Amino acid sequence: MALKLFVGGLKKVTTKETLNAYFQQFGGHPNAYVMMDRATGNSRGFGFVSFGDVEAFELALSVPVHEIDGARVTVDRDYGDGGGKGSSGSYGKGGG
């Protein structure tokens, strides 16, 4: 089972470093990335965080409200089928 979270509703200024710093509070060594628009280089407003530690992953998932860079964000388990809830799955994983 992949220990990966979908993080949606990110501000344009949020970086992978910001995500890593935020999710480090739950333990382990998170590996975050923000999805970028290839044409503009701007954030697409969502990203993913992978964990190597199941306890840190579950703890991060159990928090009811996450706020990053002043924005309330959606955090959900990524099932590897195209993203979190409501995702169109068009961010480069193929599919469909």
Side-chain angles (χ1 to χ4, degrees), residues 27-72:
H29 299 284
N31 182 25
Y33 55 99
V34 175
M35 300 307 293
M36 307 300 281
D37 183 288
R38 291 181 190 173
T40 66
N42 294 328
S43 168
R44 293 181 60 193
F46 68 97
F48 298 92
V49 181
S50 298
F51 289 85
D53 179 68
V54 76
E55 289 179 15
F57 172 79
E58 293 293 342
L59 182 58
L61 197 56
S62 74
V63 173
V65 177
H66 293 271
E67 188 171 315
I68 301 172
D69 287 334
R72 277 187 146 185

